[in-house]
Structure formats: C-alpha cells, structure tokens
Amino acid sequence: MSDTIVEYVAQGKEKELKRAQMQLDSVVQKLASLEQDKQDVEANVSKLNKQIASAQVLEREIADNILLKEREAEVKELTVEINSLKTRLGRSNQGNIRRQQKELEDSKAALVRERTQLETRRASYQEEVRRIQRELSSDTYREAGGKYQSQHIKSKTTELANVDLDKYYKALDKAIMRYHGMKMEEINRIIKDLWMTTYRGNDIDSIQIVSDVDEESTGATKQRRCYNYRVIMRKGDTALDMRGRCSAGQKVLASLIIRLALAETFCLSCGILALDEPTTNLDRDNIEGLAHALSDIVKQRRRQRNFQLVIITHDEEFVETLGRSDFVDNFYRVTKDETSHCSKVWMHSFSGREAADET
C-alpha cells in the first residue's frame, strides 16, 4: 500500500486531485449562480404572463365596449325606423291592410294547394320514371342507345342526301326549263316556216304553240310545274287562240304542221314519217301547199339513210302533185280483188311504168 502511495505522490497525482477539486468548486459556484439566474428569469416570465393576461382582459373589455356602442347605435336607428313605421301605419287605412293581408293569406293557401298538387304529380312522375327505367333495363330497350345512334346516322345521312337531291332537282329543273324553251323556239320556228310554205290564205300569217305554266303543290314545300299548251294564230301584231275561231281545213292543216314540226324536232333518229289522209278538209290550194312542204321535207332529209315518208291517201291529185317534185319516184296503189278476196298492191312510177305485186 505504502509503495502505491509513494508512486501516486511521485507521479503528481495529488496535485492533479487538488486542481480537479478546485475546478469542481468553481463549477459548483457557477451552477449556483445559474440556478439563481434561472429563478430570476422564471419570476420575470410569471410577471409577464400576468401582464399578458391583464392585457387580454382589457382587450376583451374594450372589444365588448365597442360592440356595445355599435349595438346601441343600431338600436337607435331601429328605434327611429320603428317610430317612422308606426307613424306611417297610423296614417294608413287599416281596411286596406286587412284586405292585403287576406289577399296574401289566400295567395298563400293557393300556393300551398298548388304545392300539394305538384308534389302529387312529382310522385307520379317519379313512379313513371322508375317504371321507364325498369323498362329501359329490359332486353327490349337494352340496346336502344346503339340503335338510336345507328338510326340517327341514317337520318342525318338521308337528310344530307335529300339536300343534295334538292340541289340536283333544282339544277335539273333549270336545265329542263332551258331545254323546254329551246325546243319550243325550234318547234315554233319550223311551224312558222311550214305554215308560210303551205297555207295559201291571207287571213293568218303564222301559227304558234304557247304554253301556260301552272304551279301545283305536291307537298309541304314541293311544287309541280304543269304546262297547258294552246295554239294561237297571228295576223300582224294580233294573236288569237285558234280554238273555235278557225275552219276545219285550217284546223287539219295546223294539226299536220304541228305534227311535222314535232317529228322534225324530236324524231331525228326515227326515219319513218307516216301521214294518214293528210288532205282531209283541205281546199285545193292548201293541198298543193302541203305537197310542196312535204317535198321540201324529203329534200332536206334525202341524205338521211333511214328516212322514209309514208302517205296513205285517196286524193290522187295530191299524189300527182307530190310526183311533180324531183325527189319522189314511185307510189303504191292498193285495190281489192273481189274474186280472190285479196288485196293487190301496184307500184306505179311517176314516169308511167308500173308493176304489180299481189298479196
């Protein structure tokens, strides 16, 4: 043990112990000082908390006083307004007020009844909606959305197609009107030329086909155009309807000329022109004029390979007049054989030769 103590002293441990003891005493003194400072700070904090609490109480008292003043001002304003209303009510007629009150009560009762009815109707509508919803959930209407979309697309497509068709219809209608006007001008030009060539009288300069247009309604928006044709005769600047004002011969001649003009206009690809007893009710001058007109037609069509003029007539002078032209060579005479009950067809040449063909 003594050796340990000697070694301890020799190493200076005693001095270190004293130095550590002194440091410990110093730390204890500092700790005591800090503890005193802590107590002082806590005292100041407590004091400040008390001051804050007092300030909050004072703030609440001030806010309450401000609110009180505002309420007192509102009370004064309301008092003035109440007094004013009392004054006005005192001046007003109480009977009117009671009547207005009764009207308002009646209106309220009516509104209540209406509300009851509307609630009843709403309940029925809600029940109907539930029924419809159940029905829509069924197999029948389950695909209604897709079907509606498909039909809607078809409807819109049809609507667009109708718009396009309406445009095409209008364009076609304009084209037809233009074509109709052109053909009518051409027909009337041919009629005028044939009439001036054929007719030998002086009472009619020319004839013409005129058309009156009538619009007939065929639907909500569509109009159908109808043409009423009539034949007029002209003398100078005067134009009159031929119906009821011309002779039978003039009527027959006009009919023949119109048919020839129509054939000339619309039947260029059809080479056969047939006339059955064209000289009926015509006088000799007009028969001769018709023969010259037919000769002119043959002359104009002689280069058409498929053209054939067929005339059936009992008027031999008319046939002879046709034969005097340079474009008619032969004609056929049909007779009946009383013995064999057969018809005989004789081809006659205008030059005097003839041949028989019995059928």
Side-chain angles (χ1 to χ4, degrees):
M1 173 67 72
S2 61
D3 293 336
T4 303
I5 295 171
V6 171
E7 184 180 359
Y8 178 79
V9 171
Q11 291 179 355
K13 296 293 184 178
E14 184 179 2
K15 292 179 180 180
E16 290 180 3
L17 178 62
K18 289 179 180 180
R19 190 170 49 254
Q21 188 66 37
M22 290 175 64
Q23 291 177 353
L24 179 61
D25 293 339
S26 176
V27 169
V28 170
Q29 290 176 359
K30 288 181 180 180
L31 182 61
S33 176
L34 291 173
E35 184 68 23
Q36 184 63 38
D37 292 340
K38 175 183 177 184
Q39 291 177 358
D40 294 340
V41 170
E42 288 178 349
N44 290 330
V45 169
S46 178
K47 184 179 178 180
L48 290 174
N49 287 333
K50 290 180 181 179
Q51 291 178 357
I52 291 172
S54 299
Q56 290 177 347
V57 172
L58 180 61
E59 182 181 4
R60 285 196 298 269
E61 290 178 354
I62 293 173
D64 292 340
N65 288 330
I66 293 173
L67 183 61
L68 177 62
K69 294 298 183 181
E70 291 177 353
R71 293 292 182 268
E72 288 177 352
E74 291 178 358
V75 168
K76 288 181 181 179
E77 292 178 358
L78 292 174
T79 302
V80 173
E81 187 175 357
I82 290 171
N83 292 332
S84 176
L85 292 174
K86 287 181 179 180
T87 303
R88 291 171 59 188
L89 289 173
R91 296 174 183 174
S92 63
N93 189 353
Q94 295 183 359
N96 291 334
I97 294 176
R98 292 193 183 94
R99 184 171 60 254
Q100 292 178 1
Q101 180 182 4
K102 186 177 183 305
E103 291 177 354
L104 292 174
E105 290 176 351
D106 294 341
S107 176
K108 178 182 177 181
L111 291 174
V112 170
R113 290 193 300 271
E114 185 178 358
R115 177 184 176 184
T116 303
Q117 294 175 357
L118 291 176
E119 289 178 350
T120 304
R121 292 173 60 185
R122 184 181 66 177
S124 64
Y125 288 154
Q126 290 176 347
E127 180 62 28
E128 182 68 16
V129 168
R130 287 192 291 269
R131 185 189 66 78
I132 293 174
Q133 288 176 348
R134 290 193 301 269
E135 186 175 355
L136 289 176
S137 300
S138 63
D139 295 336
T140 304
Y141 299 101
R142 187 167 299 166
E143 302 295 332
K147 293 179 180 178
Y148 169 78
Q149 183 178 6
S150 177
Q151 292 299 323
H152 182 69
I153 293 173
K154 291 181 180 179
S155 176
K156 286 298 182 181
T157 305
T158 304
E159 183 178 349
L160 294 175
N162 288 334
V163 172
D164 292 338
L165 287 175
D166 186 62
K167 293 179 181 178
Y168 299 152
Y169 168 78
K170 291 179 180 178
L172 180 61
D173 184 64
K174 291 181 180 179
I176 291 175
M177 287 292 295
R178 186 164 59 251
Y179 178 79
H180 178 269
M182 293 171 55
K183 287 302 179 181
M184 287 301 298
E185 290 180 1
E186 183 178 355
I187 290 169
N188 284 323
R189 178 179 55 79
I190 296 173
I191 288 175
K192 182 178 180 180
D193 294 340
L194 289 176
W195 182 267
M196 295 176 66
T197 303
T198 305
Y199 188 64
R200 302 303 181 186
N202 297 321
D203 54 339
I204 300 175
D205 293 338
S206 64
I207 64 174
Q208 181 181 357
I209 298 176
V210 296
S211 60
D212 299 325
V213 182
D214 293 334
E215 298 287 347
E216 294 183 359
S217 178
T218 59
T221 58
K222 297 296 182 181
Q223 296 273 336
R224 184 176 66 180
R225 187 178 292 107
C226 297
Y227 294 93
N228 297 319
Y229 297 95
R230 53 193 176 91
V231 181
I232 63 173
M233 52 186 180
R234 292 185 176 276
K235 178 64 177 178
D237 296 333
T238 304
L240 296 173
D241 286 342
M242 290 193 72
R243 183 184 294 272
R245 293 187 176 92
C246 60
S247 63
Q250 291 172 339
K251 186 183 299 184
V252 171
L253 183 60
S255 176
L256 288 172
I257 289 176
I258 290 172
R259 290 171 181 169
L260 290 172
L262 291 175
E264 183 73 16
T265 304
F266 295 107
C267 300
L268 294 179
S269 298
C270 179
I272 299 177
L273 180 62
L275 300 176
D276 187 8
E277 300 292 348
T279 60
T280 303
N281 294 326
L282 295 182
D283 56 19
R284 184 50 48 192
D285 292 337
N286 287 325
I287 290 175
E288 184 176 353
L290 177 61
H292 290 302
L294 292 175
S295 298
D296 291 339
I297 291 175
V298 173
K299 180 180 178 181
Q300 295 173 3
R301 294 285 193 92
R302 70 181 185 273
R303 294 184 180 179
Q304 183 176 339
R305 296 176 58 185
N306 64 340
F307 177 72
Q308 180 69 48
L309 176 63
V310 179
I311 300 176
I312 303 171
T313 181
H314 290 83
D315 192 339
E316 295 186 1
E317 293 184 4
F318 176 64
V319 175
E320 292 295 333
T321 304
L322 286 174
R324 286 194 292 270
S325 67
D326 297 332
F327 306 100
V328 180
D329 298 326
N330 304 312
F331 69 94
Y332 293 88
R333 185 187 300 274
V334 181
T335 60
K336 182 178 181 182
D337 189 351
E338 297 295 340
T339 304
S340 60
H341 300 287
C342 296
S343 298
K344 289 186 177 182
V345 179
W346 301 84
M347 185 180 71
H348 291 263
S349 174
F350 287 104
S351 61
R353 295 171 298 177
E354 66 178 32
D357 183 18
E358 184 176 348
T359 61

